[in-house]
Amino acid sequence: MLRASRMSNASWVARGLKENVAKLPPATGVRRISIPTFKHTIEPMPGKMASVAIYNHLATKYGGKLNKQAAQEGLDIYAEFVEEARQHAGSHPNIDLLFKVIDDNMVVDVHVDKE
């Protein structure tokens, strides 16, 4: 299985997850992100707030769809955690999902439930 390794041309992406997430719009009021195709949800809780912000950003920017381009942008934002996710499949399921979208050239719905 191929793993995305090419960085996109997102000029605002820095080298670290923390810096990248700080540049995203706030995900205020997000109660849950769901990706029905994968029966996958992300809820705002400690350790998941960066993923909530990233997936909220991707859903907004790409019209509620996660495609190859959106997934690559997501990997760029996750920055230093991408290589760890490659080396240890399952350790970062929200990144693994982006790999799957790219590897299988998928387009899936992303739902953002807000308060």
Side-chain angles (χ1 to χ4, degrees), residues 38-83:
F38 298 114
K39 297 180 179 142
H40 186 79
T41 60
I42 308 165
E43 296 185 358
M45 61 181 65
K48 299 296 178 193
M49 296 308 293
S51 289
V52 169
I54 292 167
Y55 276 85
N56 180 59
H57 163 72
L58 296 174
T60 301
K61 182 173 180 179
Y62 293 94
K65 302 288 183 189
L66 191 59
N67 59 23
K68 194 172 187 173
Q69 181 180 358
Q72 183 60 58
E73 182 173 336
L75 293 179
D76 293 347
I77 297 168
Y78 274 109
E80 71 271 18
F81 290 93
V82 173
E83 190 56 36

Side-chain angles (χ1 to χ4, degrees), residues 3-8 10 12-13 35 38 54-55 57-59 61-62 64-79 82 86 94-108 110:
R3 296 289 179 164
S5 61
R6 200 173 101 263
M7 296 295 278
S8 73
W12 62 270
V13 175
I35 300 99
F38 298 114
I54 292 167
Y55 276 85
H57 163 72
L58 296 174
K61 182 173 180 179
Y62 293 94
K65 302 288 183 189
L66 191 59
N67 59 23
K68 194 172 187 173
Q69 181 180 358
Q72 183 60 58
E73 182 173 336
L75 293 179
D76 293 347
I77 297 168
Y78 274 109
V82 173
R86 277 194 190 100
N94 298 324
I95 296 174
D96 293 341
L97 189 147
L98 299 174
F99 288 149
K100 176 91 172 136
V101 167
I102 292 169
D103 291 345
D104 295 347
N105 198 25
M106 300 176 78
V107 178
V108 299
V110 179

